[in-house]
Amino acid sequence: EYWTAPQHHNAIELFSTTAIWEGGRLTVYEPSQGLYGMRYQLARQLGLDPADVRIVSSYVGGGFGGKGPLTPRTAIVALAARRLGRPVRCVVTRKEGYTTAPYRAETRHRIRMAANLDGKLTGYSHHGWELTSRTDNYVTAGTEEVARLYAYGTVWTKVDLVKADRQTPAYMRAPHEVPYCFALESAMDEMAAKLGIDPIEFRRRNDTAVDPISGSPYSTRSLMKCFDAASEAFGWACRDPRPCSLRDGDWLIGCGCAAASYPANLAAAAARVRLTAGGRASVQSAVHEIGTGTCTVLAQIAAERLGIDVEDVDVEFGDTNFPPAPIAGGTVTTASVGTVVLMACDGIKRKLFEMAGRVGGPLAGRRADRMALSGGSIRDADGAWASITAVLESASVGSVEEYAEYVPPGSNPTSGQALHRGRGLIEFGSRNRDKTMFALGAELVEVRVHALTGEIRVPRMVGAFAGGRVVNPRTARSQLMGGMIWGMSAGLLEATDVDERNARYVNADLHDYYVPVCADIDQVEVQMLSEIDRDVNPAGIKGLGEIGVSGTNAAIANALYHATGKRVRKAPIRLEDLLG
């Protein structure tokens, strides 16, 4: 049995809402990961036409689920502003954020696993329990993901909800995977130890190219490639497999590993792209910038497709006046909005090529299917070319604009309509398609435990990940590194303490709720494997936003066992769990 603790969002930016009325129209400024959903839910609460509600959220100072759902305060602030006849702003305190915003609920897991002596799994069952509120049946049900990771043989899963007098939990970065991967990957390490097989080798023997639940093939499966790359960088081959075998003075040293997985999710999205005669492009979408570089990536995608410099692309975002976009969660943004930006750019190219063939000039009478965009010019296969500016001026046109909508293949036919109504649903792992699609990774961790005090240190972590096409390696590396550090925090630091007598959170501040700082981790190495997956979406992107956090806590627990010989089946693991 395994346990994970409740955890709360503690972004430096506090939760805030500003409401302004202009006649019967309402404008709300609030950090949000889902503008259209917030707009329609708020309009329903206030009895307004959604067209009379505008949500603006240019930059979100730390989201990762904490600013995904609409909270009760938004409508209250809007009502106060209407009654007072003036703008009203509400900024909740750090402590109030623990009850007015969502959190990751505690979970409990019971795993039963069987294997032959040669290390082949023959059976796997995973029973999970999740806490929720009295009034809501919110559930993450991460068994959907972990049951697809290995060739288990027979599989049985179940999730039960436990209702309590708490607010409703919701998303927190990798909501399904963090607790459920902790249980699975810890159990995999325990089974490998029982069999006397190296943990990475044990996973290799149970790797699979076929989804054990649906029977459909994986579109790409790079799990063991990730383990090979990470283990070589880590120096895993030099690891003595015996627990308590490595020591440096008073410090016990352990090395642990875990797989990381996250489904290649998609969602319906829309975007508008305009290319001007001056060679500048603008991209409009109600997408959100939560610090992950979304605007940079979308500008890169548009620039590459339109054959212009990225500095000549302006991205307008964070406003319900722009075309709808899905919630910034579930690692869907680059894959979904990036795909629809590509579609809009392709529409512009078709219009430009047809225009170039119609108007006079070097490309007059030439076929559109022979043309390409490059360096701000339209070029024919035989070398003839004309600048975009010249073609548009010849056609007496100041700009070319294209609006596009993307609905993932196999999704609900009404997904496009639902997107405009603020119900942009995430298609988890492309489950309705004929292939199973996951981003995969491997995380290796070294820990040091002081033999006398139980103090735990993490000097280094190595992660290798395969997430389809990587548009911007710099922002992707930043996301993966941040995810791994957050995973270390989930494994050793983060836990919300509940006073069961008074039903209160007792550490609702940054003094007693521990989050990692630079001194808590010395070295984080991130590797991104090249992976071409033409099945996942037209952009070939699986996404990397959440996979970095999903396996770290289990890798730490496994490394602590290797260091101390003591198996701790809960997260976070504190020094008192190792004393004695």
Side-chain angles (χ1 to χ4, degrees):
E1 292 187 351
Y2 302 88
W3 294 263
T4 63
Q7 298 171 337
H8 273 77
H9 293 277
N10 273 282
I12 297 302
E13 177 200 50
L14 296 172
F15 298 99
S16 65
T17 301
T18 303
I20 302 172
W21 291 87
E22 295 175 303
R25 296 179 61 85
L26 171 65
T27 300
V28 173
Y29 295 86
E30 179 175 318
S32 171
Q33 296 172 241
L35 295 185
Y36 268 72
M38 180 179 175
R39 174 192 192 184
Y40 277 78
Q41 293 172 40
L42 182 60
R44 186 173 67 249
Q45 289 182 353
L46 298 176
L48 298 174
D49 184 337
D52 292 330
V53 178
R54 179 189 179 197
I55 310 296
V56 180
S57 183
S58 299
Y59 291 94
V60 182
F64 302 106
K67 294 161 187 173
L70 179 68
T71 65
R73 73 175 183 276
T74 307
I76 296 172
V77 174
L79 287 172
R82 184 162 64 182
R83 292 186 182 182
L84 292 173
R86 58 184 295 178
V88 170
R89 171 175 294 168
C90 169
V91 181
V92 304
T93 65
R94 176 73 57 185
K95 184 175 182 179
E96 290 166 346
Y98 276 68
T99 51
T100 61
Y103 70 104
R104 191 199 304 280
E106 53 261 62
T107 66
R108 177 183 171 186
H109 309 261
R110 184 185 183 212
I111 287 182
R112 294 182 294 170
M113 185 180 289
N116 292 327
L117 292 178
D118 62 359
K120 291 291 291 182
L121 288 169
T122 58
Y124 171 73
S125 76
H126 193 152
H127 192 175
W129 290 264
E130 300 178 16
L131 186 139
T132 190
S133 67
R134 300 284 186 194
T135 59
D136 200 301
N137 289 329
Y138 174 81
V139 60
T140 63
T143 53
E144 288 282 345
E145 277 69 40
V146 298
R148 289 172 158 80
L149 191 52
Y150 298 109
Y152 298 109
T154 303
V155 180
W156 179 92
T157 66
K158 182 182 179 182
V159 175
D160 287 330
L161 283 177
V162 180
K163 290 183 174 290
D165 297 316
R166 301 261 288 279
Q167 83 265 32
T168 302
Y171 336 112
M172 193 168 186
R173 196 177 192 183
H176 310 77
E177 289 71 22
V178 167
Y180 284 86
C181 279
F182 172 75
L184 167 64
E185 289 299 301
S186 297
M188 289 290 287
D189 198 77
E190 293 202 42
M191 178 61 85
K194 289 287 186 183
L195 293 168
I197 300 174
D198 178 84
I200 294 179
E201 176 59 26
F202 180 54
R203 289 167 172 80
R204 189 184 310 278
R205 296 184 190 184
N206 292 285
D207 192 24
T208 178
V210 177
D211 182 338
I213 304 300
S214 67
S216 61
Y218 275 85
S219 58
T220 53
R221 175 82 179 185
S222 302
L223 179 62
M224 296 319 302
K225 292 181 180 178
C226 292
F227 268 109
D228 291 341
S231 60
E232 181 177 355
F234 187 85
W236 184 267
C238 300
R239 167 185 179 269
D240 188 327
R242 296 171 300 163
C244 309
S245 58
L246 300 176
R247 190 160 184 152
D248 181 10
D250 288 334
W251 292 92
L252 305 173
I253 303 173
C255 303
C257 70
S261 68
Y262 199 82
N265 299 330
L266 293 170
R272 181 183 293 109
V273 178
R274 180 185 295 112
L275 182 64
T276 69
R280 292 196 65 85
S282 66
V283 177
Q284 291 182 339
S285 180
V287 72
H288 320 82
E289 177 57 86
I290 59 174
T292 56
T294 298
C295 297
T296 301
V297 169
L298 294 181
Q300 286 182 263
I301 291 173
E304 179 183 290
R305 207 66 157 192
L306 295 176
I308 59 178
D309 292 334
V310 69
E311 291 81 4
D312 293 326
V313 180
D314 300 311
V315 179
E316 300 177 79
F317 59 96
D319 194 323
T320 51
N321 284 344
F322 301 139
I327 188 171
T331 311
V332 301
T333 300
T334 305
S336 304
V337 183
T339 293
V340 78
V341 168
L342 285 180
M343 293 168 60
C345 290
D346 287 343
I348 286 177
K349 289 169 62 176
R350 286 191 296 271
K351 290 179 179 179
L352 280 175
F353 297 161
E354 292 169 1
M355 196 180 299
R358 288 198 310 267
V359 300
L363 300 176
R366 297 175 185 268
R367 289 166 43 192
D369 60 1
R370 290 168 47 87
M371 299 182 193
L373 279 179
S374 176
S377 300
I378 305 170
R379 301 180 182 274
D380 189 72
D382 65 1
W385 65 278
S387 69
I388 295 173
T389 301
V391 170
L392 292 180
E393 288 179 349
S394 297
S396 300
V397 174
S399 64
V400 180
E401 182 176 295
E402 184 73 16
Y403 173 86
E405 290 189 4
Y406 171 68
V407 176
S411 62
N412 191 310
T414 64
S415 292
Q417 300 173 9
L419 177 70
H420 286 270
R421 296 195 300 270
R423 295 181 57 83
L425 300 178
I426 295 175
E427 301 293 335
F428 283 101
S430 308
R431 287 178 188 157
N432 295 326
R433 301 170 68 180
D434 57 359
K435 291 186 179 180
T436 297
M437 304 174 192
F438 270 74
L440 296 167
E443 301 192 43
L444 278 62
V445 173
E446 176 188 324
V447 301
R448 293 184 172 229
V449 181
H450 198 279
L452 301 177
T453 66
E455 179 185 351
I456 305 169
R457 289 293 178 189
V458 182
R460 64 190 181 111
M461 299 190 292
V462 175
F465 305 92
R469 180 191 175 197
V470 177
V471 179
N472 188 311
R474 178 172 294 178
T475 59
R477 180 179 180 273
S478 177
Q479 286 214 58
L480 291 168
M481 178 183 291
M484 292 171 68
I485 294 172
W486 197 352
M488 182 273 286
S489 183
L492 295 177
L493 299 174
E494 286 193 61
T496 304
D497 297 320
V498 181
D499 183 343
E500 297 180 359
R501 300 166 302 173
N502 299 313
R504 293 292 185 270
Y505 298 126
V506 298
N507 61 333
D509 53 57
L510 287 177
H511 179 269
D512 295 314
Y513 185 97
Y514 302 132
V515 295
V517 295
C518 292
D520 289 314
I521 179 68
D522 291 337
Q523 178 183 344
V524 182
E525 181 177 343
V526 174
Q527 298 187 3
M528 291 171 284
L529 276 62
S530 175
E531 185 180 58
I532 300 175
D533 192 331
R534 304 192 186 282
D535 294 310
V536 65
N537 53 57
I541 298 166
K542 287 183 176 179
L544 294 168
E546 305 193 57
I547 189 174
V549 69
S550 66
T552 322
N553 53 3
I556 287 173
N558 297 336
L560 286 170
Y561 167 74
H562 183 233
T564 66
K566 185 171 184 177
R567 186 73 69 176
V568 181
R569 298 185 178 92
K570 75 176 190 67
I573 301 171
R574 301 280 174 79
L575 81 172
E576 59 265 28
D577 299 313
L578 300 177
L579 292 176

